[in-house]
Amino acid sequence: MTLPLDQDPRPPYVQAADVLRAAIRDGELRPGERLPSARELQRRFGIASSTVQNALRLLKEEGLIYSVLGRGSYVRAHDGEPEPEEEEAAASESDPAYVGLGDLRRGWQVVPTDDPRPPYVQTADALRKQIQDGRLAPGAKLPSARELQEQFGIANSTAQNALRLLKDEGLIYSVQGRGVFVRQLSPHDQFLKRYHEMLDKSAAQRRADEEAVRLSGKTDDEVAAELEAAEERFAKASVEFEAATAHRDAMRAVMEQRKRLSGNYTPEEKAAKAQLLRDRLTEGRRRR
C-alpha cells in the first residue's frame, strides 16, 4: 500500500522511515537482513527515489541500518555496525539469504507475484477496466501521473507508459495544460459496451439460477410434478372463487330488494344514496 501522504502531515520520507523502523523493531526485518532496493521501496510506497534515499539516510543516522557499496542496505546487528574492513570483506561474499517482504504487516504494498506482465501494462489494464465499467465516464478527467504513482505505487515513467498505451488504444486523449480525459466512445464501441454488459448480466443471472437449482436439491421431474399439482389447485380454487363471487353478488341483490321495500337503510347508506342523487343532478345540469 502507498503511504497516507494526504492524511499524514509529516514529510513522506519520515513516513517511509517510520514504516521501516517499525518493521525492524517488530522483528519483521531481522538483523543482517537486506532491505528492498531503493527502486522496490519507491514502488511499494509510491514515492520518489530521492524520498527513499532520505528515509534510508534517516535510519542510518539512527544506527538502525548500514549500507554495503554495490549491494544495498542491511539491518544492523544488535552488537553494532560492521567496521569498514568488515564491509569490504562482506562485499566479496555471497549475498545473504533474502526471504522477501511480502508478508510485512505495517504499511507494505502487497506485490502480486502471479502477474508476469510489466507494471505499466497492469496499470493500463486497471484504468481500462474503470473506463469500461463506467467508473471513468466519457469526458472524465483521469488522475495525474503523480496521482497514479501514489495510487498504484509505481514510478512516473510507468504511469506515463500506461497512459501512452491507453492513448494508442484510443481510449483517452490529452489536452495541453489541462490533463488527460476519457474519450467519447464511437457508436460501434457503445454497441460493444452494451453488448458486453448484456452478456455479463446474462452470465450473472445464469450463475444465480444455477445456485438456486443447486440449493433446491430437486430434480427437474420433481419440480415439474410440483408445478402440475399447483396448477390443479389453482384451477380448483379459481372455480370456487368464481362460484363464491356469484353467490355473494346474488345475495347482495336480494338484500337490496328487501331494503328498497322496507326502507331499512343505515344512516351511512342513506347518506351515500343522497350523495349519489346529488351527483347525478349536478351531472345532468352540466350536460344542459
Side-chain angles (χ1 to χ4, degrees), residues 98-175:
Y98 177 51
V99 297
L101 302 175
D103 57 348
L104 288 181
R105 298 185 295 273
R106 293 178 176 267
W108 291 89
Q109 177 185 359
V110 178
V111 181
T113 58
D114 56 348
D115 194 338
R117 300 176 301 166
Y120 82 92
V121 176
Q122 300 180 40
T123 303
D125 188 52
L127 292 172
R128 187 185 303 105
K129 289 180 180 178
Q130 293 183 34
I131 293 173
Q132 291 173 343
D133 64 20
R135 284 179 288 169
L136 285 172
K141 184 178 180 181
L142 270 71
S144 65
R146 179 176 178 80
E147 291 171 335
L148 292 176
Q149 284 181 258
E150 298 175 357
Q151 180 180 348
F152 293 102
I154 56 178
N156 179 67
S157 59
T158 302
Q160 295 292 349
N161 286 334
L163 294 176
R164 185 177 302 111
L165 182 60
L166 295 178
K167 288 178 186 176
D168 293 341
E169 295 175 5
L171 293 176
I172 63 175
Y173 64 95
S174 298
V175 178

Side-chain angles (χ1 to χ4, degrees), residues 35-287:
L35 272 69
S37 66
R39 182 178 181 83
E40 176 68 9
L41 291 175
Q42 178 185 351
R43 185 168 68 90
R44 291 195 181 196
F45 289 135
I47 55 180
S49 176
S50 59
T51 304
V52 172
Q53 296 299 336
N54 286 334
L56 295 177
R57 186 172 63 252
L58 184 60
L59 295 178
K60 289 176 187 176
E61 293 173 356
E62 296 176 5
L64 292 175
I65 65 174
Y66 66 93
S67 296
V68 177
L69 184 62
R71 294 182 57 204
S73 299
Y74 296 81
V75 179
R76 183 160 60 169
H78 297 301
D79 56 353
E81 183 178 349
E83 296 297 328
E85 58 269 23
E86 294 178 2
E87 293 188 12
E88 294 175 3
S92 63
E93 298 173 356
S94 60
D95 287 345
Y98 177 51
V99 297
L101 302 175
D103 57 348
L104 288 181
R105 298 185 295 273
R106 293 178 176 267
W108 291 89
Q109 177 185 359
V110 178
V111 181
T113 58
D114 56 348
D115 194 338
R117 300 176 301 166
Y120 82 92
V121 176
Q122 300 180 40
T123 303
D125 188 52
L127 292 172
R128 187 185 303 105
K129 289 180 180 178
Q130 293 183 34
I131 293 173
Q132 291 173 343
D133 64 20
R135 284 179 288 169
L136 285 172
K141 184 178 180 181
L142 270 71
S144 65
R146 179 176 178 80
E147 291 171 335
L148 292 176
Q149 284 181 258
E150 298 175 357
Q151 180 180 348
F152 293 102
I154 56 178
N156 179 67
S157 59
T158 302
Q160 295 292 349
N161 286 334
L163 294 176
R164 185 177 302 111
L165 182 60
L166 295 178
K167 288 178 186 176
D168 293 341
E169 295 175 5
L171 293 176
I172 63 175
Y173 64 95
S174 298
V175 178
Q176 188 171 7
R178 292 184 56 199
V180 182
F181 298 83
V182 179
R183 188 180 299 278
Q184 178 69 43
L185 296 178
S186 67
H188 176 69
D189 290 336
Q190 292 179 19
F191 169 78
L192 289 179
K193 183 176 183 294
R194 290 193 296 269
Y195 176 71
H196 288 297
E197 288 174 349
M198 181 184 67
L199 290 180
D200 292 340
K201 185 176 181 180
S202 298
Q205 183 62 57
R206 181 176 179 81
R207 289 193 296 270
D209 292 342
E210 290 174 345
E211 181 66 10
V213 170
R214 185 186 67 82
L215 293 175
S216 71
K218 298 178 181 178
T219 65
D220 292 348
D221 291 340
E222 291 173 335
V223 173
E226 286 190 17
L227 174 60
E228 184 178 358
E231 295 284 7
E232 291 177 357
R233 290 197 301 273
F234 177 79
K236 182 179 179 181
S238 297
V239 172
E240 292 177 352
F241 175 77
E242 290 175 0
T245 301
H247 184 255
R248 180 203 62 185
D249 293 343
M251 295 309 299
R252 283 180 175 177
V254 170
M255 181 57 69
E256 182 63 25
Q257 289 175 339
R258 292 172 179 269
K259 286 184 177 180
R260 284 198 301 270
L261 291 174
S262 65
N264 188 21
Y265 290 102
T266 64
E268 292 79 7
E269 290 174 334
K270 291 179 180 180
K273 285 182 174 294
Q275 183 61 46
L276 179 62
L277 180 60
R278 285 193 295 272
D279 292 343
R280 288 178 176 175
L281 290 174
T282 302
E283 182 66 22
R285 293 194 190 98
R286 275 202 295 265
R287 290 180 178 178

